[in-house]
Amino acid sequence: MSSETTETTASKAAEDFGGLRMTKQRQVVYEVLTDLSKGHPTASEVFVNAKERMPSISLATVYNCLETLTGAGAVRQVHIDREATRYCANLQPHAHFYCTDCDKVFDIGLEAGADAASVWSLPPGCRVEEMQVAIRGVCGACEKCRQGHAA
Amino acid sequence: MSSETTETTASKAAEDFGGLRMTKQRQVVYEVLTDLSKGHPTASEVFVNAKERMPSISLATVYNCLETLTGAGAVRQVHIDREATRYCANLQPHAHFYCTDCDKVFDIGLEAGADAASVWSLPPGCRVEEMQVAIRGVCGACEKCRQGHAA
DNA sequence: CTAGGTGCAAAAGGTTTGCGGTTAA
DNA sequence: TTAACCGCAAACCTTTTGCACCTAG
């Protein structure tokens, strides 16, 4: 029966996004992104990592691939202040916490059963396409460290 | 609708921000911002308007003033995708709705009694300094217009 | 008086684009 | 085969910076 639907690798997943043409470059970019997704890499960081796997790839191509993958819904852009755009393979609804002390970005999930849009008094008739929630502050580790230093 | 305070003039308010040195340029930038705050102007837009009131002002100075006022807590930066930073004199907690059709930005208030952070499962020990909520979509007016065009 | 602010122009990122050669479907 | 994609370099736009002059406190 389903003898030919047995592909199980990451490349399988990459091949499926919106039926878009799957080039080696796009595969590499997508793999880098899933590997580094906890690090929320910028385009340049993706570029550095992609170059290790495919030395001929160019920065412009990385940008192109990231845009294509974003358009296909395979990855999300993350905007924090006006720093370089970061990319995230976590497609679940979530916020980003940016620690101003250590510069790390953490994914923040929704409370059980919560709906991120419900706290906002959206005008009737509008259609929400995407929501970006960026929280700036100091993470637990850095906060602890500060208290240690404080008098 | 900014009415019930006992403060007298806009310039009075501008003079009070953190005891920072109040130059003519900063006053002009602040006044432009309060006048245009519903339009969520970019630095360039503030510059154009400021130049009408003070032809000698430079773009770099507008950037400097905006940064100073932001640091003093008099205005907030608004980041939507990676477009030019917009500035907002509305200090109440609120989200921004960006209509991808007409490119306008609207302030979205909290539902009565709601707390924007409460839906997010923040890790214990972290300290929140600021929250930016950007909602992309199509506003009511544009959505209505689209339905009109549809068959 | 003088620390800090201003104006100018040039530089610094991040991102996009134009174009000839390449490639997945 | 051929429309789409890649790699390169140059362009673009927003924002920052260095420096000489000026001004609010």
Side-chain angles (χ1 to χ4, degrees), chain A residues 67-88:
Chain A
E67 181 173 335
T68 305
L69 291 170
T70 303
V75 302
R76 281 180 62 192
Q77 294 189 329
V78 179
H79 299 283
I80 292 168
D81 292 352
R82 211 178 171 268
E83 302 196 336
T85 305
R86 295 159 183 270
Y87 294 84
C88 178

Side-chain angles (χ1 to χ4, degrees), chain B residues 1 4 14 27 34 42 55 67 92 95 100 105 137 146:
Chain B
M1 316 303 177
E4 53 193 315
Q27 276 184 46
T34 50
T42 62
E67 182 175 336
Q92 239 90 68
T100 53
V105 175
R146 279 193 183 182

Side-chain angles (χ1 to χ4, degrees), chain B residues 1-53:
Chain B
M1 316 303 177
S2 55
S3 51
E4 53 193 315
T5 86
T6 52
E7 303 281 341
T8 52
T9 65
S11 61
K12 162 76 167 62
E15 279 162 21
D16 284 353
F17 292 127
L20 56 84
R21 193 158 146 181
M22 187 45 57
T23 63
K24 178 84 171 115
Q25 287 86 345
R26 288 181 182 169
Q27 276 184 46
V28 167
V29 167
Y30 182 70
E31 285 170 23
V32 167
L33 223 39
T34 50
D35 286 3
L36 300 188
S37 94
K38 273 163 223 136
H40 301 85
T42 62
S44 305
E45 288 162 357
V46 172
F47 176 54
V48 169
N49 278 269
K51 226 170 159 52
E52 286 172 12
R53 309 183 194 205

Side-chain angles (χ1 to χ4, degrees), chain A residues 28-150:
Chain A
V28 167
V29 167
Y30 182 71
E31 286 168 24
V32 167
L33 222 39
T34 50
D35 287 3
L36 300 190
S37 98
K38 273 163 223 133
H40 301 86
T42 62
S44 306
E45 287 161 359
V46 172
F47 177 52
V48 169
N49 278 269
K51 227 173 159 55
E52 287 171 11
R53 308 181 195 205
M54 188 188 198
S56 69
I57 202 170
S58 76
L59 180 56
T61 295
V62 168
Y63 271 105
N64 281 335
C65 293
L66 288 171
E67 181 173 335
T68 305
L69 291 170
T70 303
V75 302
R76 281 180 62 192
Q77 294 189 329
V78 179
H79 299 283
I80 292 168
D81 292 352
R82 211 178 171 268
E83 302 196 336
T85 305
R86 295 159 183 270
Y87 294 84
C88 178
N90 177 356
L91 298 178
Q92 239 88 67
H94 64 284
H96 291 104
F97 186 95
Y98 171 69
C99 176
T100 52
D101 232 55
C102 65
D103 281 355
K104 288 206 194 81
V105 175
F106 307 91
D107 281 0
I108 304 291
L110 278 170
E111 289 286 359
D115 168 19
S118 65
V119 291
W120 299 109
S121 155
L122 287 160
C126 71
R127 180 158 50 82
V128 171
E129 277 166 4
E130 205 214 343
M131 204 169 159
Q132 286 254 356
V133 180
I135 304 171
R136 264 198 309 115
V138 182
C139 73
C142 290
E143 190 69 10
K144 203 170 217 169
C145 183
R146 280 191 183 184
Q147 286 168 4
H149 286 283

